Amino acid sequence: MSPIPPRFNLARACLQRQARETPDKIALIVVTDAADVPGAERCTYAQLDLAVRSVAAGLLARGLKPGDRLVLQLPNNSDYALLFFGAIAAGIVPVPISAQLTEDEAAFLIDNAEAAAVAGGAGRHPNSLNADAIAAIKSASPLASYADTAAEDPAYMIYTSGTGSRPKGVVHAHRVLLGRAPMRAEWEAIGPGDIMLHAGAFNWSYTLGVGLLDPWSVGACAVLYAGPKDIHIWPRLIHDTGATLFAAVPGLYRQLLKYGSIDRADFSTLRHALAAGEAMSPNIHGAWLAATGRELYGAFGMSECSTFISSGPAIPVRPGSAGKPQQGRHIAILPIEQGDVPLAPGETGLLAIHRTEPGLMLGYWRRPDEDALTSRGNWFVGGDLASIDADGYLWHHGRADDTMNAGGYRVSPVEVEAAFAGFPGIAEIAVKEHRVRDDLTIIAAWVVRDAGSTISEGEILAHAEAKLAAYKRPKQVNFVGTLPRNTNGKVLRRLLV
């Protein structure tokens, strides 16, 4: 990888050169009606550069200062992209959060981020930016230049769950864009002539990175869909937008294969598809290849370091493996209990990333204890169990902790369980990720009722709906007499069956 320059602004690196060299090229297409792609919102690189600098000026005029946090809780539209990049252009730190969050969940993140302002969010902050305020911000006279930030300055923050009861902020530096170069080259194989269609929401690091940062950093076109969700729209969108790359979670490919109507003609422009966010079943890969005639390349990453293991045009798919470490990545498998001496090929341990990796986060927001837990000498250890075989392929063996994966989002079991504290009829509750078949996992709950209680699964699921974002909710409830525990009284979630 190239040396990291001391001064670097992520937004400028994505937009300034493209606006100068290819001003009339379409940079962004936002589709709200899958039946009317020609009528979709389009933005050239020149227009995008101007709009982002206008938003930067508008945010500063609103009283925000470089280093302030701006929480974004908006629909999946162009305003989300403009505010995200406009904040970075001004040296402000955007904090995307999900529109699915309940009021209490969103309030915690806004408070924890010490937000100077909130765009959207139903007026939960003294400096809330509603539609009128956002329109005024967008109409400001553009900044003459992007903020002169250091490569090590915070660029944006993403919240993710771990083993604790509350999500934690992952702070990424401006240099994260440079750390994505091996991913762009080896997994995506993306270039200026590509059209990238991503199926995710803007608040997700997967969408922001693969859907926006990567296309714009090489001068490609980004396509995002902001209309009603329907599994049948994706082949049509690929065809009508002329997408050459398509990115989604494995679960969406599974749904497409099961419920969608796949016609190979719809994929004529597609070079290959990309899957990340959760483990991909070998069955999905084989079925997709057979149905579409297009390769599907999987990858492994994390909120703390994007994607650093992948297959790709030069790394043949090995079913069941996420692929190999990308060129220039310094990856190792460390002993589970302690030590920073890498294990031999084939041995299972903790997946570790060297601290010199430019795509690695700066750290967790206001969580020095979490930073300490993930440090092992010069290595970052995120809690994933893995092995690397003699051919260099990585095999993921789950988590060393109890963190769950729900549709690509990491979810803490403690956070889910805490939502039921004091709920009448429940004596004890434990949740874990439960595989219901080879290609599908869900969050399931094991409940011990209070004596004499007749609380039902429906009541428990209804309470979850009121307290938790949809992707955090249990989908199944199992009533048991006791929860398995060790001699110290800790619940052993791995024994829940």
Side-chain angles (χ1 to χ4, degrees), residues 27 52-53 62 85 128 133 170 198 201 244 268 281 323 332 334-335 341 412 431 444 483:
V52 164
R53 288 188 287 116
R62 182 85 183 190
F85 278 85
S128 287
V170 174
H198 200 294
T244 58
S268 61
S281 164
L334 301 184
V341 177
S412 164
V431 300
L483 298 179

Side-chain angles (χ1 to χ4, degrees), residues 412-430:
S412 164
V414 178
E415 181 185 4
V416 177
E417 291 159 7
F420 292 90
F423 188 63
I426 295 180
E428 294 181 294
I429 184 170

Side-chain angles (χ1 to χ4, degrees), residues 104-105 108 160-168 367 370 412 414-415:
D104 288 345
E105 289 172 319
F108 169 79
T160 187
S161 291
T163 56
S165 62
R166 291 291 196 177
K168 54 196 175 188
R367 298 285 281 272
E370 294 279 355
S412 164
V414 178
E415 181 185 4

Side-chain angles (χ1 to χ4, degrees), residues 53-101:
R53 288 188 287 116
S54 292
V55 168
L59 290 171
L60 294 171
R62 182 85 183 190
L64 278 78
K65 304 181 297 298
D68 281 348
R69 272 76 54 207
L70 168 65
V71 168
L72 305 177
Q73 192 179 25
L74 295 166
N76 212 41
N77 57 24
S78 58
D79 282 352
Y80 213 131
L82 292 178
L83 283 164
F84 181 82
F85 278 85
I88 294 172
I92 296 162
V93 181
V95 185
I97 67 173
S98 174
Q100 297 183 57
L101 298 178

Side-chain angles (χ1 to χ4, degrees), residues 160-163 277-279 300-306 308-309 331-336 343 347-353 364 373-374 376 380-388 394-405 410 433:
T160 187
S161 291
T163 56
E278 58 185 341
F300 176 85
M302 56 183 72
S303 299
E304 293 87 347
C305 194
S306 302
F308 51 93
I309 308 286
I331 308 300
I333 305 297
L334 301 184
I336 294 173
L343 298 174
E347 293 191 59
T348 297
L350 289 171
L351 179 60
I353 307 160
Y364 294 115
L373 286 173
T374 57
R376 187 84 69 85
F380 168 84
V381 180
D384 289 286
L385 293 171
S387 61
I388 297 177
L394 181 132
W395 300 86
H396 189 245
H397 303 299
R399 296 279 301 180
D401 55 35
D402 294 319
T403 304
M404 304 176 291
N405 188 311
R410 287 199 318 201
E433 184 179 339

Side-chain angles (χ1 to χ4, degrees), residues 111-481:
D111 181 64
N112 182 261
E114 300 172 14
V118 177
R124 296 189 183 98
H125 190 276
N127 193 9
S128 287
L129 309 179
N130 59 19
D132 290 339
I134 291 171
I137 287 167
K138 289 164 58 181
S139 66
S141 297
L143 289 182
S145 61
Y146 290 79
D148 183 28
T149 50
E152 294 291 328
D153 285 345
Y156 61 90
M157 182 162 73
I158 297 283
Y159 274 92
T160 187
S161 291
T163 56
S165 62
R166 291 291 196 177
K168 54 196 175 188
V170 174
V171 183
H172 277 291
H174 287 265
R175 59 169 159 75
V176 70
L177 189 71
L178 303 173
R180 300 183 67 87
M183 180 193 325
R184 293 192 292 269
E186 296 187 33
W187 179 42
E188 301 165 15
I190 189 171
D194 279 309
I195 298 173
M196 169 71 82
L197 171 63
H198 200 294
F202 274 131
N203 68 279
W204 196 10
S205 58
Y206 181 19
T207 311
L208 288 169
V210 175
L212 292 180
L213 293 181
D214 294 342
W216 291 349
S217 67
V218 300
C221 176
V223 181
L224 288 139
Y225 177 65
K229 293 296 182 285
D230 180 348
I231 196 63
H232 299 283
I233 65 166
W234 298 110
R236 171 190 273 184
L237 284 174
I238 291 169
H239 178 273
D240 290 356
T241 62
T244 58
L245 300 168
F246 176 59
V249 293
L252 189 140
Y253 292 104
R254 177 181 58 79
Q255 292 174 31
L256 263 173
L257 290 164
K258 185 174 182 178
Y259 303 111
S261 177
I262 293 183
D263 181 341
R264 283 199 175 201
D266 289 332
F267 303 90
S268 61
T269 61
L270 195 68
R271 194 165 69 253
H272 57 256
L274 306 165
E278 58 185 341
M280 180 169 66
S281 164
N283 295 338
I284 292 176
H285 171 265
W288 175 265
L289 184 59
T292 67
R294 295 295 185 266
E295 187 57 86
L296 175 59
Y297 295 124
F300 176 85
M302 56 183 72
S303 299
E304 293 87 347
C305 194
S306 302
T307 295
F308 51 93
I309 308 286
S310 61
S311 55
I315 305 174
V317 172
R318 185 164 290 184
S321 169
K324 296 182 179 182
Q326 296 153 0
Q327 290 293 317
R329 305 294 194 192
H330 197 177
I331 308 300
I333 305 297
L334 301 184
I336 294 173
E337 296 301 328
Q338 59 184 351
D340 58 2
V341 177
L343 298 174
E347 293 191 59
T348 297
L350 289 171
L351 179 60
I353 307 160
H354 203 268
R355 290 284 179 183
T356 55
E357 165 60 55
L360 187 62
M361 67 173 182
L362 287 168
Y364 294 115
W365 173 252
R366 303 281 198 261
R367 298 285 281 272
D369 54 334
E370 294 279 355
D371 285 327
L373 286 173
T374 57
S375 294
R376 187 84 69 85
N378 290 321
W379 298 95
F380 168 84
V381 180
D384 289 286
L385 293 171
S387 61
I388 297 177
D389 66 22
D391 295 327
Y393 281 86
L394 181 132
W395 300 86
H396 189 245
H397 303 299
R399 296 279 301 180
D401 55 35
D402 294 319
T403 304
M404 304 176 291
N405 188 311
Y409 291 95
R410 287 199 318 201
V411 179
S412 164
V414 178
E415 181 185 4
V416 177
E417 291 159 7
F420 292 90
F423 188 63
I426 295 180
E428 294 181 294
I429 184 170
V431 300
K432 78 166 191 174
E433 184 179 339
H434 174 54
R435 184 165 294 281
V436 293
R437 62 173 186 265
D438 182 59
D439 61 350
L440 179 64
T441 60
I442 61 172
I443 295 176
W446 281 256
V447 172
V448 178
R449 291 185 176 103
D450 279 326
S453 170
T454 58
I455 189 170
S456 67
E457 179 180 44
E459 291 172 290
I460 291 169
L461 297 181
H463 179 74
E465 184 174 354
K467 290 289 186 178
L468 296 165
Y471 65 88
K472 299 180 186 178
R473 298 171 196 158
K475 302 296 189 293
Q476 177 184 3
V477 177
N478 307 287
F479 293 103
V480 294

